[in-house]
């Protein structure tokens, strides 16, 4: 009978070291999504385009308004009641498309490349992946939109100084409107992520995003006036515009109501994405 000395047993055990346990935590999932997001060239390009659209179109609108004032040319209907705030946020509609499209790519891009299988293997509970993607990209879109809105207004207030559209940060509703615009763009990014995770198709997600924000609001003009008054204010884009509009009337929502409605659309999109993520295979 052969006996194994204690030293030999220790050496045998040491030949098969135990694998270190790496616990999946919310912080680690957030860091992984942050790293994946910034590793893509499309992230830098699309965020740059979004900021360019927001700032450039805001400046162009301010210069156009001032040139009409100084030359005495008649004002278009869109410029007649314009203010420094509305002119500085003129590029919001263009920036929202860039940020929304990138949100779709953040989620649906992993399905098109097959990387989602590795992601879900590392995070078996699945839902933390969706929350982390939405949180990381939503915060980035929020910061970019807020910084762009404040920077554009600061430039436009100097351009429009001395005109009837002139405003400063101290005027009532200005800071609220700029913060509302940044929050709106951040939530648009979250909706883009949700649509990408729900549809798992880049083309499909972008199509639904564009239809929701631009096409459907235009089609409501074909409805009877009584229907428009009850439906139009609650559409995503119109509710979002109420968040940063300076003036409101009986046909639009208040800033708080607009925020609540737009949050409802965001939660609805995230809920649909969460249900499909849990119930469907990658």
């Amino acid at each position: 009978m052969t006996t194994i000395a204690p030293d030999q047993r220790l050496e045998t055990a040491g030949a098969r070291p135990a694998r270190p346990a790496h616990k999946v935590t919310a912080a680690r999932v957030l860091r992984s999504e942050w790293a994946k997001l910034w590793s893509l060239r499309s992230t830098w390009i699309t965020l740059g385009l979004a900021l360019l659209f927001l700032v450039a179109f805001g400046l162009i609108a301010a210069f156009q308004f001032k040139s009409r004032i100084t030359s005495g040319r008649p004002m278009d209907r869109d410029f007649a009641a314009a203010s420094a705030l509305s002119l500085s946020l003129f590029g919001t509609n263009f920036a929202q498309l860039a940020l929304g499209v990138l949100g779709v790519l953040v989620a649906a891009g992993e399905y098109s490349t097959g990387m989602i299988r590795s992601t879900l293997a590392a995070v078996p509970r699945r839902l933390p992946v969706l929350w982390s993607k939405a949180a990381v990209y939503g915060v980035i879109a929020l910061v970019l939109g807020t910084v762009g809105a404040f920077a554009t207004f600061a430039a436009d207030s100097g351009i429009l100084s001395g005109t009837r559209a002139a405003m400063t940060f101290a005027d009532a509703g200005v800071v609220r409107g700029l913060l509302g615009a940044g929050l709106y763009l951040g939530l648009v990014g979250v909706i883009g992520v949700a649509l990408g995770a729900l549809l798992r198709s880049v083309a499909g997600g972008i199509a639904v995003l564009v239809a929701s924000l631009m096409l459907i609001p235009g089609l409501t003009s074909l409805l009877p006036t009584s229907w428009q008054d009850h439906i139009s204010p609650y559409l995503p884009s119109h509710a979002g515009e109420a968040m940063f509009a300076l003036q409101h009337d009986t046909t639009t929502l208040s800033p708080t109501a607009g925020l609540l409605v737009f949050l409802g659309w965001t939660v609805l999109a995230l809920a649909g994405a969460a249900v499909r993520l849990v119930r469907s295979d990658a």
Side-chain angles (χ1 to χ4, degrees), residues 201-233:
S201 166
V202 174
I206 293 174
V208 173
L209 179 76
V210 173
S212 301
L213 297 179
M214 302 189 71
L215 297 183
I216 294 178
L219 292 175
T220 57
S221 61
L222 302 177
L223 298 174
T225 304
S226 59
W227 290 23
Q228 293 182 39
D229 295 340
H230 291 87
I231 296 175
S232 182

Side-chain angles (χ1 to χ4, degrees), residues 83-122:
S83 64
L85 179 64
S86 63
L87 292 172
S88 64
L89 298 179
F90 190 80
T92 303
N93 289 336
F94 303 95
Q96 71 178 357
L97 287 180
L99 293 174
V101 166
L102 182 57
V104 173
L105 290 171
V106 167
E110 288 201 41
Y111 284 95
S112 62
T113 61
M115 187 178 178
I116 190 65
R117 297 185 181 89
S118 300
T119 299
L120 297 181

Side-chain angles (χ1 to χ4, degrees), residues 187-206:
L187 291 175
V188 167
V190 174
I191 290 178
V193 173
L195 290 176
L198 174 62
L199 300 176
R200 301 183 177 184
S201 166
V202 174
I206 293 174

Side-chain angles (χ1 to χ4, degrees), residues 12-123:
T12 303
R16 294 189 301 239
R19 294 178 60 186
H22 296 287
K23 185 178 180 181
V24 178
T25 63
R28 285 173 175 168
V29 178
L30 286 170
R31 283 199 299 269
S32 67
E33 293 301 328
W34 176 273
K36 284 191 291 184
L37 179 63
W38 291 111
S39 65
L40 300 175
R41 185 181 302 173
S42 59
T43 299
W44 298 90
I45 295 174
T46 312
L47 289 178
L49 286 175
L51 185 60
L52 176 64
F53 291 156
L54 185 59
V55 175
F57 282 104
L59 294 176
I60 291 172
F63 279 117
Q64 181 73 4
F65 181 88
K66 188 169 184 179
S67 67
R68 288 178 180 271
I69 289 289
T70 55
S71 64
R73 289 183 295 167
M75 284 285 183
D76 294 337
R77 185 177 61 180
D78 295 337
F79 285 98
S83 64
L85 179 64
S86 63
L87 292 172
S88 64
L89 298 179
F90 190 80
T92 303
N93 289 336
F94 303 95
Q96 71 178 357
L97 287 180
L99 293 174
V101 166
L102 182 57
V104 173
L105 290 171
V106 167
E110 288 201 41
Y111 284 95
S112 62
T113 61
M115 187 178 178
I116 190 65
R117 297 185 181 89
S118 300
T119 299
L120 297 181
V123 189

Side-chain angles (χ1 to χ4, degrees), residues 264-276:
W265 284 110
T266 306
V267 171
L268 182 63
L270 283 173
V275 170
R276 185 169 189 195

